[in-house]
Amino acid sequence: MNKDKTMRERFRKAQLFFCLIAFGGLLAGCASNAPSISVDETQAFQNINSFYVKPALNSVNPTLENSIAQTIANVMTAKGLTEVSQDEADVLIGFFPFVESKDGGTRLNIGLGSGTFGRSGGISIGSVFSIPVGEQFTEYQNLQIDVTKENIFVYSASGSTKIESNDAITVQRALNELVTSLLDSYPNTKDN
């Protein structure tokens, strides 16, 4: 009887441990849409006076990319920097926009294949595909912005915004807000 009680106690502790891990994963998943920002604190940002916005690293939609570039230029100008040509710029700003779809609903996974399983291991040959049950996908527009000075990263920010509607105006507004939030932590050189 005592052995049985010890086994149940171990099983409960294991259940609690796995529940804590699952809860931690859930919290991390919820926080994953927060921007990730890194600043090189060793840089003398007060000596950075000019910038150049490079074209998107993955050109897909020139109109939206031009809007992103213009918003980056507006934010950096408001921070006290001057937009100049690439050859004259103190820093170069690159950006990489991309869309990600996350499955928010139930999926039916179907596996096809054959295999043999033995005592010491198994081999399985086949394929697996998924069929969504209902249209429950959420699209996120992701954006990476990197500021470099003499090929050294001085500021890097990435984040995402949920796309509520796929029309160009809504996406453009969401991207402009995302750019502003990603560059918000860039050190202000105006009035320094």
Side-chain angles (χ1 to χ4, degrees), residues 51-73 83 92-98 141-148 153 155-158 175-176 178-179 182-183:
F51 70 93
Y52 173 78
V53 180
K54 296 169 26 176
L57 296 174
N58 62 333
S59 186
V60 176
N61 185 330
T63 304
L64 283 176
E65 292 155 10
N66 288 336
S67 175
I68 293 171
Q70 186 59 51
T71 302
I72 291 171
E83 187 172 13
L92 302 177
I93 303 173
F95 63 97
F96 180 77
F98 63 97
Q141 177 65 54
N142 298 311
L143 182 62
Q144 172 81 27
I145 299 175
D146 293 317
V147 180
T148 59
F153 290 97
Y155 185 89
S156 181
S158 63
L175 281 170
N176 289 343
L178 181 58
V179 167
L182 293 178
L183 292 175

Side-chain angles (χ1 to χ4, degrees), residues 7 10 15 48 58 62 79 82 87 90 120 135 137 147 153 174 177 182 190 192:
M7 291 296 284
R10 285 184 183 168
Q15 278 182 321
I48 298 174
N58 62 333
K79 290 191 171 283
T82 305
D87 296 332
D90 293 333
S120 61
E135 296 296 322
F137 288 97
V147 180
F153 290 97
E177 289 173 10
L182 293 178
K190 200 173 196 175
N192 285 346

Side-chain angles (χ1 to χ4, degrees), residues 1-188:
M1 282 291 196
N2 201 15
K3 184 179 177 183
D4 199 26
K5 186 177 179 181
T6 304
M7 291 296 284
R8 279 188 290 204
E9 209 172 286
R10 285 184 183 168
F11 181 71
R12 277 195 185 265
K13 286 181 181 178
Q15 278 182 321
L16 179 61
F17 178 72
F18 287 115
C19 286
L20 287 172
I21 288 174
F23 182 70
L26 180 63
L27 286 178
C30 291
S32 65
N33 286 338
S36 172
I37 297 171
S38 296
V39 180
D40 182 358
E41 300 294 338
T42 65
Q43 291 296 318
F45 284 94
Q46 68 275 11
N47 295 331
I48 298 174
N49 299 310
S50 59
F51 70 93
Y52 173 78
V53 180
K54 296 169 26 176
L57 296 174
N58 62 333
S59 186
V60 176
N61 185 330
T63 304
L64 283 176
E65 292 155 10
N66 288 336
S67 175
I68 293 171
Q70 186 59 51
T71 302
I72 291 171
N74 292 345
V75 170
M76 298 303 278
T77 301
K79 290 191 171 283
L81 283 83
T82 305
E83 187 172 13
V84 295
S85 70
Q86 185 171 356
D87 296 332
E88 299 171 333
D90 293 333
V91 292
L92 302 177
I93 303 173
F95 63 97
F96 180 77
F98 63 97
V99 175
E100 176 184 19
S101 294
K102 291 186 180 178
D103 181 11
T106 307
R107 294 184 70 79
L108 174 63
N109 295 317
I110 301 173
L112 302 173
S114 61
T116 52
F117 298 94
R119 247 180 159 172
S120 61
I123 300 171
S124 180
I125 303 170
S127 63
V128 176
F129 60 93
S130 297
I131 301 171
V133 180
E135 296 296 322
Q136 298 178 356
F137 288 97
T138 304
E139 283 197 344
Y140 291 88
Q141 177 65 54
N142 298 311
L143 182 62
Q144 172 81 27
I145 299 175
D146 293 317
V147 180
T148 59
K149 179 181 178 187
E150 299 170 359
N151 294 322
I152 296 172
F153 290 97
V154 297
Y155 185 89
S156 181
S158 63
S160 65
T161 184
K162 186 176 177 181
I163 303 295
E164 299 292 339
S165 175
N166 283 333
D167 66 275
I169 293 172
T170 302
V171 172
Q172 185 173 3
R173 283 184 188 145
L175 281 170
N176 289 343
E177 289 173 10
L178 181 58
V179 167
T180 303
S181 71
L182 293 178
L183 292 175
D184 188 49
S185 296
Y186 187 89
N188 196 347

